[in-house]
Amino acid sequence: MTRPTPESLAQRVTPATVAAAVNTATTTVAPVATSGAGALVRSLEALGVEVAFGIPGGAILPAYDPLFDSKVRHILVRHEQGAGHAATGYAQATGKVGVCIATSGPGATNLVTPIADAYMDSVPIVAITGQVGRPYIGTDAFQEADIQGITLPITKHNFLVQDPEELPRILAEAFHLAATGRPGPVLVDIPKDVLQAHTTFAWPPSLDLPGYRPTLHPHGKQIREAARLIAQAKRPVLYVGGGVLKAGATDGLRKLAELTGIPVVTTLMGIGAFPDSHPQHLGMPGMHGTVPAVYALQRSDLLVTLGARFDDRVTGKLDSFAPEAKVVHADIDPAEIGKNRHADVPIVGDARHVIDELIAAVSGSAGGAAQYEAWWKTLNEIRERYPLGYEEPTDGTLAPQYVIERIGALVGPDAIYCAGVGQHQMWASQFIKYEKPGTWLNSGGAGTMGYAVPAAMGAKVARPDTQVWAIDGDGCFQMTNQELATCALEGIPIKVAVINNGNLGMVRQWQTLFYDGRYSNTELGTHKHRIPDFVKLAEALGCIGLRCESKDDVDKIIQQAMEINDAPVVIDFTVGKDAMVWPMVAAGTSNDEIMFARDVRPTFDEDDL
């Protein structure tokens, strides 16, 4: 099998790829007698599913019998949450639809968090759950839960299968819905007696999705109006989100940026869409964004917003965000346009098509960076004055920023980095340099602690020849580290860097800044008592465990981990507890109140203001 390049990842998720799986002549199957479970598994095979992550149980058990003989690889996880996040990591690393499987009741409800996570970050996964038999639905039967109702607000769509003959069509529709338009999770709930029933399987099915026709191509009038505003602007910014990655539009984005000379900022979900090393890239905006990126948005007179959603972590106090800017907002989901910020030029369409048509529209008038000489002069001065950095701890402890910076430098830009949620996530977004799409995976919208290890597992399964590093905190790591047993037994050699500061670090930072240092329930005991001992825990789970407590040993330990390719590796980086993430915009305040460091507010010339 040919492995996808990072540049091709998002291009794999298109209506054409799903339609090809559903309708290609090579997968035509004449009607054949089987069970509902057989129809389920054969549908997955026809849809090109290579791997599924799951745990069997009573209601889903009939499906596991034909799965035993299937070419679909099933990876037995240790918790259903791990299955869901692994499916997400697989999807983000390949651009394909990730698949997770669970039984009814608590098995299905354990998928709720990863489903919500995928929904917030627009990740295409299909969750298949068993359900109690049809006669028992609504009777509070053993292990019954209305997972269709529970997940209604956090899925793009969901199905309760009532007839085994519907299985091929519903599975094909689920994959089509997950992968097309704005991607997202779809749940298919299947009663046990439907799986056990006799039926016939044939392929391809006919899809029945009336009214579902995502708009891919933007309206020409809106493109021309956007081009007119770009030509008039004095302080424009390309505000780029994860939609550009999902559309496979990174090459076009670079061409548009270089053609126009407009500064670029990339959101947390958009990291990798534009090279960090590019001189036009100002970095990440928002609560822990760079000072130049935050300043550029605040002082802009035109935001060209591509696949981003004006999230509160980017805008800060909404009514003070970019007060002088007109807004061009392009998104494939019309519900996002105008939801948080009025769009002067709304554009509904796939980011790749929008960018391509913008390039054509501005080609005759674009003047490059020279057109915005004064704007760039201001931005470059601010970039020189307020670079990203950190202070070495005065108590001799290891700086977490240094650890993450060295991982990025030694492992390089071709690896995949998965982060948990908290301080380590922000440092990983700041101090690793991302040059390519598909190399940064994180839980951006939901902020799910425990995401990193199972997501890294899924990414490594998807791209076994690529180094995959999970950058995790000691709090996050304790939520899903049981999936290291899965990695050890299934031959999935991920690397896990545990940034162990002995605390729930981001919560402690807020307690330091906003609660007078009253550290209520944030100390974890991983320093004081070394409970758990992460090296021993790693070894108990079948992994190689390493520990690093000194700056002098950081490079040596990272290189040692990189040389191990036949087992998962866990490194306990014991770091200081008082390091903080800077810059910072306090929640609920204006981006104008950004702090460069503690008690250090950037100063701007009067002309800048």
Side-chain angles (χ1 to χ4, degrees):
M1 174 185 170
T2 302
R3 297 290 168 191
T5 62
E7 290 77 6
S8 72
L9 297 182
Q11 296 174 13
R12 300 288 293 274
V13 181
T14 66
T17 57
V18 179
V22 175
N23 299 317
T24 179
T26 59
T27 57
T28 298
V29 178
V32 59
T34 186
S35 64
L40 165 64
V41 173
R42 296 190 71 162
S43 296
L44 295 177
E45 292 173 343
L47 285 160
V49 174
E50 296 173 340
V51 63
F53 304 89
I55 302 179
I60 196 65
L61 194 57
Y64 273 79
D65 188 62
L67 194 58
F68 187 74
D69 300 314
S70 175
K71 62 184 179 182
V72 176
R73 178 187 179 188
H74 181 273
I75 293 177
L76 177 63
V77 298
R78 296 304 180 265
H79 191 286
E80 290 88 356
Q81 183 178 352
H85 291 316
T88 294
Y90 180 92
Q92 289 179 304
T94 62
K96 296 180 179 180
V97 177
V99 179
C100 53
I101 304 174
T103 195
S104 64
T109 58
N110 280 344
L111 285 177
V112 168
T113 293
I115 289 171
D117 183 272
Y119 184 75
M120 289 288 283
D121 288 344
S122 304
V123 180
I125 67 170
V126 169
I128 298 168
T129 54
Q131 183 55 275
V132 299
R134 286 170 291 181
Y136 301 102
I137 292 176
T139 69
D140 292 334
F142 177 67
Q143 290 193 334
E144 181 190 0
D146 179 12
I147 196 63
Q148 186 184 30
I150 290 168
T151 61
L152 189 64
I154 55 170
T155 51
K156 189 174 177 183
H157 194 66
N158 59 27
F159 300 88
L160 174 63
V161 183
Q162 299 282 4
D163 187 332
E165 291 188 3
E166 296 178 338
L167 277 163
R169 174 183 60 80
I170 286 176
L171 266 295
E173 289 174 357
F175 275 71
H176 181 71
L177 289 167
T180 57
R182 180 178 182 173
V186 177
L187 180 129
V188 180
D189 195 30
I190 312 173
K192 186 173 184 177
D193 61 327
V194 170
L195 292 170
Q196 294 171 321
H198 295 290
T199 187
T200 57
F201 171 78
W203 197 267
S206 296
L207 304 190
D208 182 22
L209 295 169
Y212 179 72
R213 292 179 179 81
T215 300
L216 300 180
H217 293 274
H219 195 289
K221 179 182 177 182
Q222 302 302 91
I223 293 291
R224 291 191 295 274
E225 182 63 16
R228 184 183 70 82
L229 290 183
I230 290 171
Q232 294 176 347
K234 303 298 183 185
R235 302 184 306 279
V237 176
L238 292 175
Y239 165 26
V240 175
V244 170
L245 288 167
K246 289 175 169 58
T250 56
D251 290 343
L253 172 65
R254 182 165 184 163
K255 184 175 180 181
L256 176 65
E258 292 177 346
L259 177 67
T260 60
I262 297 175
V264 178
V265 301
T266 52
T267 67
L268 184 66
M269 293 304 300
I271 287 174
F274 197 73
D276 279 354
S277 62
H278 197 287
Q280 285 176 243
H281 193 212
L282 298 179
M284 181 178 75
M287 177 175 280
H288 294 295
T290 67
V291 173
V294 171
Y295 176 90
L297 291 180
Q298 286 300 97
R299 302 299 175 239
S300 172
D301 64 359
L302 177 65
L303 299 180
V304 181
T305 308
L306 303 169
R309 57 188 181 88
F310 293 90
D311 174 75
D312 61 289
R313 289 295 168 106
V314 169
T315 65
K317 188 178 179 183
L318 188 59
D319 61 9
S320 68
F321 175 69
E324 299 175 11
K326 292 185 177 180
V327 173
V328 173
H329 192 177
D331 202 290
I332 198 165
D333 183 359
E336 286 295 346
I337 299 176
K339 184 178 79 174
N340 293 329
R341 172 68 180 253
H342 170 73
D344 298 277
V345 181
I347 303 176
V348 179
D350 178 84
R352 184 153 53 96
H353 295 299
V354 170
I355 290 171
D356 288 346
E357 295 192 28
L358 277 176
I359 290 169
V362 302
S363 290
S365 59
Q371 182 178 352
Y372 308 113
E373 184 177 355
W375 183 222
W376 270 115
K377 182 176 183 292
T378 298
L379 294 176
N380 284 331
E381 288 175 356
I382 292 171
R383 184 151 54 179
E384 290 173 12
R385 244 186 287 168
Y386 301 106
L388 276 175
Y390 57 92
E391 293 182 352
E392 289 287 345
T394 57
D395 59 0
T397 56
L398 184 57
Q401 302 96 322
Y402 177 78
V403 170
I404 292 170
E405 188 174 51
R406 295 309 299 159
I407 290 172
L410 294 172
V411 178
D414 292 324
I416 294 174
Y417 301 92
C418 302
V421 170
Q423 288 181 316
H424 62 279
Q425 175 193 26
M426 294 297 101
W427 289 322
S429 72
Q430 292 174 333
F431 294 106
I432 295 174
K433 300 306 176 187
Y434 301 93
E435 302 297 322
K436 301 178 180 181
T439 55
W440 164 249
L441 312 183
N442 84 123
S443 172
T448 304
M449 293 179 69
Y451 168 90
V453 169
M457 176 173 70
K460 185 65 174 177
V461 169
R463 294 171 62 189
D465 299 327
T466 300
Q467 278 203 69
V468 178
W469 281 72
I471 312 291
D472 219 356
D474 46 335
C476 288
F477 181 66
Q478 293 186 72
M479 295 192 173
T480 51
N481 62 51
Q482 67 269 23
E483 297 310 333
L484 288 172
T486 309
C487 292
L489 292 169
E490 293 281 349
I492 307 169
I494 65 171
K495 325 288 187 193
V496 183
V498 181
I499 309 302
N500 177 8
N501 65 359
N503 287 265
L504 297 172
M506 187 62 84
V507 183
R508 179 185 170 87
Q509 175 168 334
W510 282 47
Q511 288 174 332
T512 301
L513 297 175
F514 309 122
Y515 293 89
D516 298 321
R518 290 165 55 83
Y519 300 117
S520 174
N521 291 283
T522 45
E523 184 177 326
L524 292 169
T526 52
H527 275 198
K528 186 176 180 180
H529 304 290
R530 197 161 276 179
I531 298 176
D533 183 317
F534 290 132
V535 173
K536 292 179 180 178
L537 178 62
E539 293 170 349
L541 291 168
C543 306
I544 306 298
L546 305 171
R547 178 172 288 117
C548 181
E549 299 176 294
S550 165
K551 182 176 181 179
D552 294 338
D553 293 333
V554 168
D555 283 16
K556 179 180 67 177
I557 295 291
I558 294 170
Q559 289 165 342
Q560 183 180 347
M562 290 171 63
E563 292 167 1
I564 300 170
N565 295 306
D566 57 353
V569 180
V570 176
I571 310 173
D572 177 3
F573 286 104
T574 307
V575 301
K577 64 183 179 182
D578 293 320
M580 294 192 190
V581 182
W582 301 103
M584 181 176 181
V585 178
T589 66
S590 168
N591 282 350
D592 288 329
E593 298 178 45
I594 186 171
M595 302 298 291
F596 179 57
R598 189 172 185 181
D599 301 324
V600 179
R601 179 160 302 186
T603 56
F604 305 117
D605 294 339
E606 286 300 315
D607 289 343
D608 295 344
L609 299 174

